[in-house]
Amino acid sequence: MDPNSYVEDRSPGTGRLRPRAAFATDLPAIALDGDWRFRLASGLDDLTGDFAAPDFDDTTWDLLAVPSCWQMTGLPREPRYGAPAYTNILYSFPVDPPRVPRQNPTGEYRRAFDVPDGFPASAAVLRFEGVDSAFAVWLNGIRLGDGKGSRLTTEFDVSTALRPGRNVLAVRVHQWSSGSYLEDQDMWWLSGIFRSVSVAARGVEDFFVRAAYDHATGQGTLAVDVTAACGVSLSVPELGISAADPAGPYVIDSIEPWSDEQPRLYSGELVSDTGERIPLRIGFRTVSVVDGVLTVNGRPVSLRGVNRHEWHPLTGRTLTEDAMVADVLLMKQHNINAVRTAHYPPDHRFLDLCDKHGLWVFCEGDLETHGFEPGGWRRNPSDDPAWREAYLDRTARLVERDKNHPSVIVWSLGNEAGTGVNLAASAAWIRRRDDSRPIHYEGDFASCAYVDLYSRMYIGVDELAAVGRGQEAPTADPADDAHRRALPAVLCEYGHAMGTGPGGLSEYQRVVEAHPRLAGGFVWEWIDHGIARLTEEQEPRAFYAYGGDFGEEVHDGAFVADGLLFPDRTPSPGLVEYKKVIEPVRIRIDPAARQLVVHNLHRIRDTGHLDFRWNAEDGGEPVGSGELKVPTTAPGATTTVEWPAEVAAALDAARENGSGDEVWLTVTAVLAADETWAGAGHEIAWAQGRVAASAAVPAPSASVPALPHNGHITLGPAQFDARSGQLIRLGGLELDGPRLDIWRAPIDNDLLNAFGEPQITDWLAVGLHRMRHEVLSVEPDAPGLTVTARLAAAGSSSALGVVYRWTAGDGPDAGQHRLRLECAVTPDGAWSVPLPRLGIALSLPGTDAEVEWFGLGPGEAYRDSRTAARTGRHRSTVSAMQTPYVRPQENGNRHHVRRARITTADGTLLITGAPVIDLTVRPWSTAALAAAAHQHDLVGDGRLHLHLDHAHHGLGSASCGPGPSASDVLAAVPTVFSVEFSTGR
């Protein structure tokens, strides 16, 4: 018999113990994390024959950290053992289940360890928290068994093999196996012992904490089902429980239930007759579907969620607890209340943190077979009875390990694995084992025959609204149709956070909040899976690698960088936007009525945990601030507050005696006291209201004629080239431009479309990336200067006519001159495609500059992603205004800018919108940005490139979802916009 047959066997493994809950105990354990001896074999024909022998000489082998992914070793320099490979859908090997290539990289691991005297070796287990993809295990030369299911715990009985003193553990890990067909989860293919390993004494076999809550009576019911060879007692002092029979059930009055908003945990303990002590953290809660609405503890659930892969840019799927804590705290700090563990169970410590800090969890099975879809799902394991045992094994190990977490409110069978009998069998197994949680699986949305939630991904807002009304398209089977319409609906994936964007999140949230059937959803996804690299230069530069950067035969490029966090866990503008969109308290300022309206969207918590503060600004300058007394608002309730006298007085003074600029009132809601996830003063929600508009600034009187002289034209402080009509100097500043600009460095949502042709196809076909600016006439006269031009691409009859009308006059300050440009744009010919942007572009010398602007900020914002931007005076540098997306693309736009000041070593350029512009300032051109594959490719050219835009095409999330809404499409229509320039210090 082939000793390696287990690699391609559909069986989930041999010699393993039955799955059980993950729990702490005071019984001794031996941690085996650390340096192991390691050899990477090229395949099954390159294995070391006697490597499991205790006396095998492994001193010439390398040392490799466990846990780790072997392909990540050596980073950020060159990987030492193979290389990562990224695919979204396709397998990295021929699809011939259950067979995999014989040239199958295999890691051979050895670890010697000592068992101290007194360790209960006769009742011990060897525990692997995660091994990718298949592995076999020997202890002291005795083969214990083998296993698959990479992100699931596997335990082996070592009672007959473990001995006092020196022991030798040998593990053979295969990169590919039959299990790989079930683990095609849109991520880097990585291998190795990537989670912790230990030898642990075993006492209590297992237990299941069932802690229900009755919202009608306020009572909790506690029953703990224990599997043990001896007696076990239960103690929960806070509840007055001290019982020899943990099974109870025990009914307790006046229980504080567990929820995402108030994650109340009761401390308890199981104590066995042999003295073992097991700490418990008990959360009482009941999950139900009531009249088509997902509820917990009798309250509807509103999921403000994210999909979370486990990722670190240097260690891959091996995470420290600090990284997990960082994830949870960042989620809570950004108003996120739910996580879908896409697409596998996470390290069990992450769920402990969800219990502690309060996150709803859709705990998902280690399952995806997406690579069968391109072949029409032919031979898909989900509908092949030969794979039934593998499916049921993965399901059981999911549920048994994580069943005691109150944060886990839904079991998810897996992702994108088609449909079939094995998924139905998995759902049936869960219902028999745990009927307290609904079952989720998006792949069954057509019928929902074996799930409890109607789940969709990447549908548009119109279809989502129809689902909310129960008006989705009917199923083929009337019985299935009736069943599905009675189910709550959830967006298991939406708002694809790839590159600049996503746009339109606020539209989705409005629809979700309008329909009780809609339980909310999960943005895809939490973090960019960029891999930290250094360039091969004398002075290396850092960048993040993505698909294709390791020479993969097949790959999906930057599609792996689609998170709300950058790889280093810095929040992206998308996460800042999402926080604002989903804030759990809505504040509305009504300047006309001099009122403040507070709507509490919390389901459990009133607003007593929040302080409210106000701040008034005149033209961005503070004119008053203070505390704001807002009555405590109950969950779901609304409170209206009259402006206090001090607020009204500050605003009235600003309007009557101020600068004549815009007067804004900002109200914020912050934590009144420390929470486990943020300190007092952390901002939860905010709103702004404009109390007074700025006085209209008249256009400069055309008192300065344009004077041609010696190949130049002078107009006030400006000098133009007489032939091209191009502005070349303004005061003491050298300039180049401006010219009409309609192109942007394509964003990921322009380049990709999961459901049709990407926007870039039409743009390139029309030639928008290669438009030529042809000057038709330059006409100086007494009113100023008029330049007429045409923008068109070679081979195209579609064009844009543009007339630049320049005038000059006195500025608001003594001795200051203003230069005004009015652009009149007229489409010529057929224009069936939207414009990427519409504005003007110019440049001036410099590599960096100080930028101050009054408008929306402080971060980037676009027409369909601007909810998080607030009006005020903002300051930055050009370098700090660049958003470092893993794949460079259009970024850094500041929206609705009224005026801006750009200060370089040569002087200051003042820009005023008439009334507003979008402002982008970069140290590189659009062409350079579009050509760059990684951040280190961006090298400045010694000039600062300014884009002053009338409008941008929306962002959407077409890389895997809908494009921009119709209102955010930038159509080519006759347009007139204006901007003013001046210089100063």
Side-chain angles (χ1 to χ4, degrees), residues 358-579:
L359 288 167
W360 304 123
V361 176
F362 277 38
C363 201
E364 192 149 277
D366 190 9
L367 175 67
E368 181 169 335
T369 66
H370 205 173
F372 288 89
E373 184 183 35
W377 295 108
R378 176 178 170 266
R379 302 177 71 187
N380 181 20
S382 294
D383 204 32
D384 183 348
W387 293 85
R388 178 186 175 95
E389 182 187 2
Y391 275 63
L392 292 179
D393 177 79
R394 288 170 184 255
T395 299
R397 291 158 70 196
L398 161 75
V399 172
E400 298 295 0
R401 194 198 73 167
D402 298 334
K403 58 182 178 280
N404 293 325
H405 290 283
S407 58
V408 175
I409 59 169
V410 170
W411 298 119
S412 183
L413 300 180
N415 184 69
E416 292 175 323
T419 58
V421 295
N422 295 327
L423 289 162
S426 295
W429 187 95
I430 293 176
R431 288 193 173 90
R432 291 192 300 271
R433 179 58 175 150
D434 177 25
D435 62 359
S436 69
R437 296 173 171 101
I439 296 172
H440 166 268
Y441 177 65
E442 182 271 342
D444 188 34
F445 72 86
S447 70
C448 293
Y450 42 82
V451 296
D452 303 308
L453 300 172
Y454 176 35
S455 179
R456 299 297 305 276
M457 58 172 65
Y458 304 115
I459 61 175
V461 290
D462 291 341
E463 185 176 358
L464 181 63
V467 171
R469 296 189 299 267
Q471 296 175 346
E472 68 268 22
T475 68
D477 186 311
D480 285 343
D481 190 67
H483 168 68
R484 193 180 70 182
R485 290 181 196 279
L487 300 180
V490 63
L491 282 167
C492 69
E493 296 178 21
Y494 81 109
H496 195 250
M498 185 177 183
T500 309
L505 290 177
S506 57
E507 297 178 71
Y508 280 96
Q509 192 63 24
R510 281 194 294 270
V511 172
V512 166
E513 292 176 11
H515 301 284
R517 185 191 187 194
L518 301 179
F522 302 88
V523 167
W524 185 269
E525 65 165 303
W526 177 237
I527 187 170
D528 287 340
H529 300 202
I531 292 179
R533 297 300 311 275
L534 291 172
T535 59
E536 295 182 7
E537 299 171 330
Q538 187 171 0
E539 295 184 6
R541 288 175 290 164
F543 68 99
Y544 290 109
Y546 49 78
D549 286 338
F550 296 96
E552 300 100 306
E553 183 178 2
V554 293
H555 66 85
D556 285 292
F559 207 69
V560 77
D562 48 9
L564 294 169
L565 292 182
F566 294 125
D568 65 355
R569 284 180 163 74
T570 299
S572 75
L575 180 56
V576 177
E577 175 79 356
Y578 192 41
K579 175 185 177 180

Side-chain angles (χ1 to χ4, degrees), residues 46 57 134 210 347 378 388 429-431 435-436 457 500 579 593 640 674 678 687 693 702 719 732 921 926 943-944:
D46 184 33
D57 183 6
R210 301 177 187 267
D347 187 304
R378 176 178 170 266
R388 178 186 175 95
W429 187 95
I430 293 176
R431 288 193 173 90
D435 62 359
S436 69
M457 58 172 65
T500 309
K579 175 185 177 180
T640 301
D674 292 348
Q719 189 176 78
V921 193
T926 295
R943 299 192 68 80
L944 297 175

Side-chain angles (χ1 to χ4, degrees), residues 62 136 175 242 249 276 291 317 363 375 394 415 458 523 530 573 643 749 766 774 886:
D62 296 339
Q175 180 166 351
S242 180
E276 179 183 4
D291 296 329
R317 280 191 288 283
C363 201
R394 288 170 184 255
N415 184 69
Y458 304 115
V523 167
W643 288 0
N749 291 323
V766 177
E774 188 74 22
V886 170

Side-chain angles (χ1 to χ4, degrees), residues 52 111 117 137 145 164 346 379 417 467 488 528 553 598 602 646 657 681 729 747 794 870 912:
R111 169 68 190 265
D117 292 340
V137 183
R379 302 177 71 187
V467 171
D528 287 340
E553 183 178 2
V598 176
H602 286 100
E646 60 269 25
N657 308 314
R729 185 167 293 278
I747 66 174
R870 50 185 103 189
T912 302

